[in-house]
Amino acid sequence: MSQKISGVKGMNDVLPGGEVEAWQFVERTARELFQRYGYGELRTPAVEDTALFIRSVGEDTDIVGKEMYTFEDKGGRSLSLRPEGTAPAVRAFIEHAVSNQEPVTRWFYLGPMFRYERMKTGRYRQFSQLGCEAYGSRDPAQDVEVLDFLWQFLGALGLSGVRLHLNTLGDDACRPAWQASLVAHLRGQQGTLCADCQRRLETNPLRVLDCKSEQCQSVARAAPDIHGALCNGCRAHFEDVKRLLGALSIPFEVDPRLVRGLDYYTRTTFEFIASDPVLGTASTVAGGGRYDKLVKSLGGPDTPAVGFGLGLERLVLLLRATGRQFTAPPELFVAWMDDASRTEALVRISALRRAGFRVEFDPRGGSLKSQMKRADKVGARFALVLGDAELKSGEAQLKQMAGGEPVPVKLAGLGEFLSAARATT
RNA sequence: GCGAUCAUAGCUCAAUUGGCAGAGCACUGGACUGUGACUCCAGGGGUUACCGGUUCAAGCCCGGUUGGUCGCCCCA
């Protein structure tokens, strides 16, 4: 008995016919833009040693604590499907001793990530992330280059209504003292915190700051502000980031309660947040920041780094909500009448395709009417029919599907005609 | 991990107190000898998500499972 097999929960197919074309547009745009910024593409395996994520992302984060796809392979190793892209990139950076070969390394990656979560709008168990990693510079110019990329990228996609939220988390010199005073403040108000935040107080106290519940918000507002506790180095860094963003005319808002869920961030953190209702409550499109200690903590040289991760599903949702079309319909559709014209049609079609034109036909043949319906269905710009008369005269009536008089065209001159037509699109 | 809600043709959805499972779109063919869209006609398509129960009789009532959607948590 054959049983129906369906796809795995939370993991989706992307089909051609509008959907995959939107993805390709995003990917093309990203690759082209990264090339301009001097970032090379890094490809790492989907699976890593589980310990990599425990040590980088953090044992107490939700991502590692309950969302990883972890399994044991036949050799008894504990492996995990990657839940994010930074840790594998850093692993590769260290493993290939890249910093011995060049002082600055700038990589981007694009591929599937996996988190075992309950699904909702814009959140899936397999999702695609686009991200970058810039190693080797502590200069705020590097932070701002990353932000500038994202700003340009969203602009190139035609997405407006995405706002940049910016914050700093300090570093080893100032964060511990601030965090201690934060915890002390929260403990004083412990009774008024929601149940979740009571727990966060122990596991990840920074997250109390962006809790959405009313009472936690009021406690958070009265909490000691990181901006008042920054050491001189962190203060200067943050001021410089803001100044450089201003110089590039990139709008942003400082959000002192912006905290990220991964443990490795230092100094700059940011999120790009969309307001479009198609995302529901999944409004964060991209997030990232600086992680100056991560490379060293994973056993590499003391190397500062900045990067971001961006959710492609959410981006594609936004893009498709704009109603834009990304398909490239055929420029010419060829119909044939009989066996002799079928041969001629295939030869002509192949030649035009080799010359770079998008040409379609109905591989089933069939009545002329059905072939013309097909031409209409696939959105061809022009259509022509090959039969006895055309083979004899070497000329065909080229029909413009959108309307207008058919134009006689020599079969030998089809390429030239289509080239000219492209110019008038 | 918690909660709400839903599941009928490829898609969007109907089906009266439980009583023969339907329409639109899409697909195929024809009306129309070699020219699509508009119109008309016809046709193919279903174990009503799955498993069990109640009943003479279940798409409908009851229990469970799986999956979708939305919210909480968290994140991209």
Side-chain angles (χ1 to χ4, degrees):
Chain A
M1 288 295 286
S2 67
Q3 246 179 341
K4 189 161 70 177
I5 296 180
S6 49
V8 175
K9 177 173 178 155
M11 305 192 180
N12 300 312
D13 302 314
V14 181
L15 274 53
E19 195 179 2
V20 89
E21 289 80 2
W23 281 83
Q24 291 168 335
F25 171 67
V26 172
E27 292 163 6
R28 253 199 327 275
T29 304
R31 289 199 158 94
E32 200 276 325
L33 197 59
F34 267 128
Q35 195 169 34
R36 277 197 244 167
Y37 278 68
Y39 284 63
E41 181 172 355
L42 170 73
R43 300 191 185 188
T44 65
V47 174
E48 296 278 354
D49 188 327
T50 301
L52 172 64
F53 300 112
I54 293 176
R55 285 169 55 190
S56 58
V57 176
E59 199 157 8
D60 293 329
T61 61
D62 280 4
I63 292 176
V64 168
K66 47 189 196 191
E67 295 173 0
M68 279 209 298
Y69 280 90
T70 297
F71 60 97
E72 199 172 279
D73 75 359
K74 295 186 180 184
R77 291 170 277 258
S78 178
L79 305 180
S80 293
L81 264 43
R82 59 180 179 190
E84 58 101 39
T86 291
V90 170
R91 195 223 77 224
F93 179 80
I94 296 169
E95 196 160 335
H96 301 284
V98 176
S99 65
N100 289 344
Q101 304 161 51
E102 54 190 17
V104 171
T105 299
R106 289 184 288 191
W107 283 344
F108 77 94
Y109 60 84
L110 193 165
M113 308 291 163
F114 303 84
R115 293 180 198 171
Y116 191 89
E117 291 185 277
R118 197 82 149 81
M119 294 157 53
K120 48 163 294 210
T121 308
R123 195 179 66 189
Y124 311 94
R125 289 182 172 180
Q126 175 176 333
F127 62 102
S128 297
Q129 214 168 325
L130 170 71
C132 82
E133 315 283 330
Y135 302 98
S137 170
R138 292 178 200 283
D139 198 292
Q142 183 62 81
D143 306 43
V144 172
E145 180 193 53
V146 167
L147 292 167
D148 178 54
F149 172 89
L150 276 166
W151 186 249
Q152 295 300 320
F153 178 57
L154 295 169
L157 297 179
L159 294 176
S160 52
V162 180
R163 300 185 319 276
L164 168 57
H165 286 220
L166 189 71
N167 195 23
T168 179
L169 294 177
D171 64 8
D172 284 354
C174 51
R175 200 207 305 203
W178 167 68
Q179 190 164 330
S181 68
L182 173 66
V183 169
H185 169 82
L186 295 177
R187 277 201 208 289
Q189 309 283 320
Q190 194 161 1
T192 51
L193 295 176
C194 70
D196 283 329
C197 285
Q198 308 251 358
R199 178 176 48 77
R200 289 188 187 113
L201 198 45
E202 305 306 325
T203 59
N204 202 340
L206 298 194
R207 293 227 62 93
V208 175
L209 294 182
D210 70 348
C211 179
K212 285 161 190 78
S213 91
E214 196 57 46
Q215 63 269 35
C216 298
Q217 275 299 315
S218 65
V219 173
R221 272 192 292 272
D225 189 338
I226 179 69
H227 295 271
L230 290 176
C231 60
N232 288 336
C234 287
R235 178 185 315 285
H237 188 95
F238 192 58
E239 291 305 316
D240 213 14
V241 167
K242 289 191 289 185
R243 198 173 52 73
L244 291 171
L245 282 173
L248 295 186
S249 303
I250 297 172
F252 64 92
E253 41 198 285
V254 174
D255 179 356
R257 285 188 296 279
L258 169 61
V259 169
R260 310 230 64 240
L262 290 65
D263 283 356
Y264 51 63
Y265 289 109
T266 53
R267 292 195 167 171
T268 312
T269 60
F270 57 83
E271 288 183 358
F272 281 79
I273 297 177
S275 51
D276 195 301
V278 294
L279 290 186
T281 52
S283 52
T284 300
V285 168
R290 181 167 272 282
Y291 31 95
D292 288 342
K293 303 292 175 193
L294 181 60
V295 176
K296 190 176 183 186
S297 79
L298 287 176
D302 189 4
T303 307
V306 203
F308 72 82
L310 176 147
L312 289 180
E313 280 78 5
R314 292 179 185 179
L315 214 54
V316 169
L317 275 174
L318 288 174
L319 210 51
R320 283 167 66 72
T322 65
R324 284 173 65 189
Q325 293 297 312
F326 301 98
T327 51
E331 294 164 282
L332 176 68
F333 189 98
V334 178
W336 68 74
M337 300 304 300
D338 52 27
D339 276 0
S341 50
R342 185 188 61 165
T343 302
E344 179 70 11
L346 278 177
V347 169
R348 294 281 176 198
I349 289 165
S350 179
L352 287 168
R353 284 172 168 173
R354 287 178 220 184
F357 297 103
R358 300 188 301 277
V359 187
E360 257 281 30
F361 66 100
D362 189 335
R364 302 167 303 175
S367 70
L368 181 59
K369 180 194 176 86
S370 68
Q371 292 184 66
M372 288 305 294
K373 284 178 84 157
R374 195 81 208 137
D376 184 48
K377 181 75 184 179
V378 299
R381 184 170 178 198
F382 296 103
L384 69 76
V385 177
L386 286 184
D388 274 348
E390 288 77 13
L391 295 198
K392 285 203 182 83
S393 66
E395 194 174 288
Q397 295 294 319
L398 192 64
K399 182 169 192 168
Q400 201 162 171
M401 297 302 284
E405 288 300 302
V407 187
V409 175
K410 290 211 180 335
L411 295 182
L414 271 172
E416 278 176 58
F417 182 93
L418 291 176
S419 291
R422 270 187 186 174
T424 67
T425 299

